[in-house]
Amino acid sequence: MSRAEDAEGASRRWACLAIDLQEDLCRDPRRRDRVDVMLPKLQRLIDGFAQRQLPVYYTKFELEPDDPQFKRFGDTYCVRGTPGCDIVPELLPLRGEVLVKPKHSAFYGTDLEERLRRAGATGVVLAGLQTQICVLTTAADASYRGLDVIVATDAVVSTNDDVRLQAIEWIERYVGRARTVDMITAEL
């Protein structure tokens, strides 16, 4: 993960984005087992960032009851004001800031870029779900903003593992790198 270190050191270069680890998304029976396997790895990743005093941001979908994506995807989730919007208790207490987002990318309609710049971050490590939607669009948007991107391969989940792997390959080919949580924390 390290590049040529500047005078301030690499410790302020990276931020962790824990994407959409909410009740409705994580407890969905289509991916619950995968999330349960992934959560301890994500907790290790977050712990690694927190121990090094690097920023951690948790994104949350908060959607209106009539959001058009419900029709497109065929289900309803993370409706503003419902318990389904809550971050799963396995990640409590939170070790960073919460960022509410209205669309898939964590950059769309949010102040994430400004928060990252204020924190001195020049790169993001992405974890969470779903890999082929919210993680992938956030990776692309981060790259377009000149940020380095790493996807934590064993801390991202999709309903379909083939789709998860395709998304990781796309990220690695076009906008970033793919590393395991152990590799990432060893290089922080």
Side-chain angles (χ1 to χ4, degrees):
M1 190 180 310
S2 25
R3 292 175 160 200
E5 293 184 20
D6 59 19
E8 295 180 49
S11 65
R12 293 189 332 145
R13 297 187 62 119
W14 293 94
C16 180
L17 300 182
I19 298 173
D20 302 347
L21 295 145
Q22 296 166 260
E23 288 287 340
D24 279 351
L25 300 172
C26 291
R27 304 303 183 220
D28 186 304
R30 296 172 291 181
R31 61 186 156 267
R32 183 181 185 132
D33 291 344
R34 287 182 173 101
V35 170
D36 289 344
V37 169
M38 177 272 294
L39 280 173
K41 295 172 187 172
L42 175 61
Q43 290 167 321
R44 274 200 333 268
L45 181 67
I46 292 169
D47 288 345
F49 272 78
Q51 289 167 0
R52 291 164 180 85
Q53 299 182 337
L54 294 170
V56 176
Y57 301 95
Y58 301 84
T59 70
K60 282 179 57 177
F61 256 139
E62 285 192 7
L63 305 170
E64 296 302 325
D66 61 347
D67 193 290
Q69 72 185 13
F70 297 149
K71 187 173 184 175
R72 184 172 49 251
F73 291 113
D75 57 356
T76 304
Y77 46 87
C78 301
V79 174
R80 183 181 316 278
T82 67
C85 281
D86 294 342
I87 293 177
V88 294
E90 292 90 337
L91 296 178
L92 300 178
L94 298 181
R95 314 279 300 271
E97 300 176 27
V98 174
L99 180 76
V100 175
K101 65 187 184 86
K103 296 292 179 194
H104 303 300
S105 172
F107 288 93
Y108 182 88
T110 73
D111 66 345
L112 177 59
E113 184 174 9
E114 293 80 22
R115 290 182 193 206
L116 292 168
R117 301 291 181 209
R118 280 193 307 268
T122 60
V124 291
V125 173
L126 306 178
L129 53 133
Q130 290 218 71
T131 317
Q132 80 282 8
I133 305 172
C134 298
V135 174
L136 184 127
T137 58
T138 299
D141 279 352
S143 176
Y144 301 156
R145 287 165 171 77
L147 295 164
D148 292 324
V149 176
I150 295 177
V151 60
T153 58
D154 52 347
V156 290
V157 170
S158 295
T159 302
N160 177 308
D161 204 49
D162 289 337
V163 171
R164 180 185 75 85
L165 293 172
Q166 289 169 355
I168 290 169
E169 288 173 15
W170 187 93
I171 291 168
E172 192 162 38
R173 175 173 279 173
Y174 297 109
V175 298
R177 293 177 281 158
R179 302 286 186 269
T180 66
V181 167
D182 288 342
M183 292 168 70
I184 295 165
T185 55
E187 294 178 16
L188 281 178

